[in-house]
Amino acid sequence: MTGTHLGMPAFPAAAPAFPAAAREAVRDEGLRANLRHATHTIRDKRRRAVAELEDWDRLRAAGRAVKDHTLRHLDRYLLQLEEAVTAAGGTVHWAADADEANRIVTDLVRATGEREVVKVKSMATQEIGLNEALEAAGIAAYETDLAELIVQLGHDRPSHILVPAIHRNRAEIRDIFRAEMGGWGRAAPEPLGDDPRELAEAARLHLREKFLRAKVAVSGANFMVAETGTMVVFESEGNGRMCLTLPETLISVVGIEKVVPTFRDLEIFLQTLPRSSTAERMNPYTTMWTGLGPSRGADGDGPSAFHLVLLDNGRTDTLADEVGRQALRCIRCSACLNVCPVYERAGGHAYGSVYPGPIGAILSPQLRGTGSAIDASLPYASTLCGACYEVCPVAIDIPEVLVHLRERVAQGGPVTRGGVRVTLRPADGHTAERAAMRAARLLLDRPGALRAAERLLARARRLAPRRLPGAGRAWTDSRELPTVPAESFRDWWARERSDPR
Amino acid sequence: MRAALFVTCVNDALYPRTGIAVVRLLERLGVAVDFPAAQSCCGQPQYNTGYRYETEPLVRRTARAFAGYPYVVTPSGSCAAMIREHYPRIGRKAAAEGRGGELAEAAASLAPRVYELTEFLVDVLGVTDVGAYFPHTVTYHPSCHGLRGLGLGDRPRRLLAAVKGLDLVELPGAEECCGFGGTFAVKNPDVSTAMGADKIAAAAGTGARVLCGADNSCLAHLDGLLRRADSPIRALHLAEILAATEEEPLP
Ligand code: SF4
């Protein structure tokens, strides 16, 4: 298969740095209003749903512990998983990176002789740009999650983990359906209003045709159980279940960090995930499949072939980092997005990745490295306010990881890339900042000099400009500067409370 | 009782009135205040921007300046959180990287002796009514590091509620970040300003004339926005309100 063009990645590597990308979103009043409304509604509901459980803190600690334990022994659990999946009639494939995963899936689909697949929402396949890779191989991939469908039909990118079309309003969705559905399959009924029920019905009719025709499905999974080889998908619409049961061949692409040791461990996440993500006590559809199982295959329900593609794509490198590895505990509930004041203003696209918001800010620069402008800027896309840590159901200390990654960008340090330990040099573009930090430190480490500098500042206070040049402009463009006092505290103390020097 | 004041670099250079207010307030409550002149910046701007090596000398300096004091009081939630939460972390990392255990020890010894002002008043001195007088309508913004980092809870509000003449009104969305975030304010100025704008709009909606906080860096950002907008609301540090009395009202 030489000459296979893998297509464009879902998010361009040359995405603009976060501050520039966020600027546009901040100025888009409509977008900000949509985001504000959506995130505030869901965060309030989440708070109520979580408050119902008296043992939330213990569930949170238990979820964290299960994930940490699994990550510590990931090699062992993955081998156990492979064995269980194989014993149940499935086939396991290991993919080191996006290219390898895309190649495996493309070959598997080609082997069936099919030219189209249905998909149930899977972040892993978005992460690797599978749809584009399939398209380049002449295979059409149809998203079946409603929000994913909207994004796909709109030639758009997802902007939220759980609500990928959070940035779209009803009228926009109606226009997308009317303009695009016909080109992909069954056209939207005419006339089409923007009532949610009408829109859902249009999607249902469009998708039903796809489900009934498709021979191959591609899915992700929220969890994989090592002891039984069971895959688990949580969803709200039931489209996923159609996708997982109707086609003949099922290919699941799952990140290696999604494994948990035992079936019992699911008990924790069955409680914490729905409450954190959709503020529901239980998610409406939980689908579990174990290889082909006795009731599946030719004479039973469900697919007759099952393939599991285990995706690394930067995860073992992330695992090698003591502080950063906690990002792999993430169960993609999106609670951190919904409480993040920066996400609320900047929107999901500014993060240049399928993982937006606080978790994206720590995951992307680890999975992809800090080499690009967007990845080097993501650790700074936060005020470190801590709201994300507070809501995270697996207690990921996102601010701690952010500071850790800032350190990597600003001063360099050891990282693992492709399994090899390397020492990163500080990222470009921080030279002036580094010099300023150093100068500030030299001054701050000499109280005598500091006192002299404060006096100088006090003497020049009348000359203080309203607008600063250079980096200071970022402050004075929108804010007044503090007024410099006539006397520093240090001098006041010396005058009032101790002997004058 | 004797306590050392860690005034913080921002207060020293730009908001001496806050430091003076803390001194007057504590002295009024019978505390003998020391100001160790060897103190400087806690290193928060450096550390939070990713310059951990540049932070280490400041950790060492701060630990040395306050050696021997059982109580170190600071009118800044974020600086208190920096020392309590991050100093031990910085010390451990330095030790792990082979730069001796001395920094780790100094950091670990200082961390539990540092108190944010409202913690010191409520937990150590056991007072909520500090005898202050401030006849104005006030709304309180709890900065993130005080709220989530230190878990100050309702201590600041209880102190304010006990001030004679003060009308405390709730700030809608109080727990949301104001958008300052240290160097975030200049690295992401658009998002920072958008967050601050929402915060001052919420404050304006309360009808309060004073927006009170316990961290002058957040207040510098909010005050800068208020003044640029020619707002009648004044940003004020909690310490200055608590220091004001009928005999010596706030100018
Ligand atoms: S980091 Fe935590 S809160 Fe955010 S999506 Fe992952 S599990 Fe949910």
Side-chain angles (χ1 to χ4, degrees):
Chain A
M1 32 172 288
T2 48
T4 304
H5 177 58
L6 290 175
M8 289 289 292
F11 280 88
F18 185 84
R23 185 170 308 136
E24 275 180 52
V26 166
R27 292 188 183 154
D28 184 339
E29 297 283 339
L31 174 68
R32 264 178 72 189
N34 286 354
L35 282 168
R36 183 178 172 80
H37 177 74
T39 56
H40 280 254
T41 308
I42 184 82
R43 79 168 73 156
D44 293 343
K45 277 166 74 184
R46 188 211 74 101
R47 192 182 297 132
R48 286 195 294 273
V50 163
E52 284 179 359
L53 291 184
E54 271 168 33
D55 59 347
W56 183 260
D57 290 339
R58 274 164 38 217
L59 280 169
R60 186 175 186 241
R64 173 196 172 141
V66 165
K67 282 282 187 176
D68 273 349
H69 167 85
T70 320
L71 289 171
R72 208 156 39 238
H73 307 286
L74 194 60
D75 49 346
R76 193 174 94 207
Y77 287 118
L78 286 173
L79 290 174
Q80 192 189 0
L81 175 78
E82 180 179 35
E83 224 171 86
V85 170
T86 312
T91 310
V92 174
H93 310 259
W94 299 81
D97 56 21
D99 285 358
E100 196 176 359
N102 286 331
R103 205 157 50 230
I104 293 169
V105 178
T106 309
D107 287 350
L108 287 170
V109 179
R110 278 205 175 126
T112 66
E114 293 298 318
R115 310 297 273 165
E116 57 183 44
V117 302
V118 286
K119 287 185 68 201
V120 48
K121 184 171 177 257
S122 148
M123 308 220 65
T125 62
Q126 284 168 9
E127 175 188 325
I128 61 177
L130 177 67
N131 288 8
E132 291 79 0
L134 288 173
E135 193 186 328
I139 299 163
Y142 300 114
E143 295 293 346
T144 66
D145 173 90
L146 179 54
E148 285 292 316
L149 177 72
I150 296 165
V151 169
Q152 188 178 37
L153 291 177
H155 309 282
D156 201 353
R157 295 188 310 244
S159 63
H160 189 276
I161 292 180
L162 208 80
V163 202
I166 196 169
H167 56 295
R168 296 289 199 189
N169 62 35
R170 285 190 286 160
E172 287 174 321
I173 295 169
R174 182 205 47 209
D175 294 345
I176 291 171
F177 278 11
R178 285 172 66 177
E180 302 287 341
M181 263 184 180
W184 289 79
R186 183 174 175 144
E190 281 292 344
L192 182 67
D194 63 3
D195 179 58
R197 286 180 46 192
E198 254 180 283
L199 294 174
E201 181 62 10
R204 199 179 71 85
L205 293 171
H206 178 81
L207 288 171
R208 179 136 307 215
E209 214 178 78
K210 295 259 182 305
F211 290 131
L212 293 173
R213 204 173 62 204
K215 298 276 190 292
V216 183
V218 176
S219 87
N222 293 87
F223 298 96
M224 309 186 282
V225 181
E227 66 169 356
T228 56
T230 305
M231 305 287 121
V232 188
V233 159
F234 288 32
E235 44 133 4
S236 316
E237 295 163 6
N239 290 340
R241 177 164 296 178
M242 306 270 270
C243 218
L244 293 162
T245 47
L246 289 172
E248 286 163 15
T249 302
L250 173 58
I251 304 167
S252 300
V253 183
V254 190
I256 52 173
E257 82 282 18
K258 293 287 174 82
V259 68
V260 294
T262 70
F263 201 79
R264 247 195 99 164
D265 295 322
L266 293 177
E267 175 226 358
I268 302 161
F269 305 110
L270 274 162
Q271 297 180 75
T272 54
L273 180 52
R275 282 178 203 259
S276 302
S277 57
T278 49
E280 287 165 307
R281 295 184 178 128
M282 193 171 183
N283 59 293
Y285 293 87
T286 304
T287 308
M288 305 191 180
W289 64 105
T290 308
L292 295 170
S295 70
R296 296 170 77 108
D299 10 290
D301 288 338
S304 51
F306 170 59
H307 295 273
L308 171 61
V309 182
L310 289 172
L311 177 71
D312 186 319
N313 207 32
R315 285 163 175 77
T316 46
D317 289 343
T318 303
L319 194 58
D321 189 282
E322 262 177 61
V323 178
R325 68 168 64 129
Q326 56 185 308
L328 297 177
R329 292 206 294 259
C330 176
I331 56 174
R332 313 276 188 265
C333 71
S334 73
C336 58
L337 277 65
N338 298 331
V339 297
C340 178
V342 176
Y343 174 86
E344 184 186 322
R345 273 89 185 176
H349 290 159
Y351 293 81
S353 155
V354 313
Y355 305 112
I359 182 61
I362 61 168
L363 199 56
S364 307
Q366 294 200 85
L367 294 180
R368 305 191 296 209
T370 47
S372 67
I374 178 70
D375 288 319
S377 71
L378 284 175
Y380 295 96
S382 165
T383 62
L384 307 178
C385 81
C388 49
Y389 178 28
E390 194 176 61
V391 295
C392 178
V394 283
I396 300 172
D397 192 339
I398 295 176
E400 181 192 10
V401 183
L402 286 167
V403 170
H404 176 71
L405 295 174
R406 288 178 185 188
E407 201 179 304
R408 182 174 295 174
V409 172
Q411 64 176 35
V415 286
T416 309
R417 284 279 104 195
V420 183
R421 199 85 174 141
V422 292
T423 302
L424 279 188
R425 288 158 35 90
D428 295 342
H430 286 255
T431 323
E433 181 183 271
R434 197 160 34 249
M437 286 291 173
R438 201 175 146 67
R441 196 268 287 167
L442 289 175
L443 179 69
L444 293 167
D445 207 12
R446 286 171 183 72
L450 179 62
R451 192 171 173 188
E454 283 168 354
R455 285 190 177 152
L456 209 66
L457 191 67
R459 216 168 303 145
R461 60 204 279 260
R462 310 240 172 268
L463 307 173
R466 190 152 183 258
R467 286 191 155 81
L468 291 176
R473 246 185 60 195
W475 180 281
T476 55
D477 269 354
S478 55
R479 292 156 284 209
E480 295 294 318
L481 285 166
T483 338
V484 176
E487 184 182 49
S488 72
F489 177 82
R490 211 171 275 277
D491 279 345
W492 175 86
W493 179 272
R495 192 163 53 73
E496 286 283 320
R497 289 292 189 279
S498 67
D499 310 324
R501 279 200 222 148
Chain B
M1 184 186 293
R2 181 165 289 275
L5 169 66
F6 173 40
V7 80
T8 83
C9 60
V10 167
N11 290 331
D12 179 17
L14 296 173
Y15 298 96
R17 286 172 32 167
T18 298
I20 296 165
V22 176
V23 173
R24 295 215 165 112
L25 171 65
L26 292 181
E27 286 177 350
R28 193 170 83 214
L29 296 168
V31 179
V33 180
D34 274 2
F35 177 75
Q39 67 178 277
S40 162
C41 170
C42 67
Q44 193 185 178
Q46 288 84 353
Y47 181 68
N48 279 354
T49 313
Y51 296 88
R52 178 162 56 87
Y53 298 151
E54 295 296 338
T55 315
E56 286 179 9
L58 298 173
V59 174
R60 202 169 288 126
R61 157 167 300 282
T62 308
R64 226 175 261 157
F66 295 104
Y69 285 100
Y71 300 108
V72 179
V73 184
T74 184
S76 160
S78 68
C79 299
M82 171 71 188
I83 297 174
R84 282 238 289 269
E85 209 181 310
H86 300 303
Y87 271 29
R89 213 171 246 169
I90 294 165
R92 279 197 301 273
K93 280 196 179 180
E97 287 167 8
R99 285 195 299 289
E102 173 237 347
L103 192 69
E105 271 170 42
S109 129
L110 176 62
R113 293 183 281 119
V114 168
Y115 295 83
E116 187 274 339
L117 176 65
T118 67
E119 286 177 322
F120 184 74
L121 295 172
V122 175
D123 301 356
V124 179
L125 298 184
V127 290
T128 44
D129 185 347
V130 296
Y133 172 73
F134 190 72
H136 301 280
T137 309
V138 176
T139 193
Y140 180 74
H141 166 60
S143 293
C144 304
H145 289 111
L147 185 73
R148 282 177 282 266
L150 298 175
L152 293 183
D154 63 355
R155 291 178 185 87
R157 282 196 203 85
R158 274 159 59 202
L159 288 160
L160 284 173
V163 172
K164 209 171 138 200
L166 190 146
D167 183 16
L168 184 63
V169 289
E170 273 307 308
L171 180 65
E175 305 199 343
E176 278 172 47
C177 178
C178 69
F180 172 64
T183 46
F184 180 85
V186 289
K187 279 180 180 282
N188 284 283
D190 299 282
V191 180
S192 170
T193 301
M195 289 165 68
D198 289 348
K199 184 63 76 179
I200 63 168
T206 66
R209 275 317 181 76
V210 174
L211 174 58
C212 173
D215 226 313
N216 272 332
S217 30
C218 303
L219 291 178
H221 162 68
L222 294 173
D223 182 52
L225 285 165
L226 287 167
R227 280 163 46 217
R228 179 64 56 92
D230 282 324
S231 167
I233 300 178
R234 175 178 182 199
L236 205 52
H237 193 286
L238 176 92
E240 293 178 54
I241 294 179
L242 298 183
T245 58
E246 256 161 312
E247 297 75 42
E248 278 184 276
L250 203 68

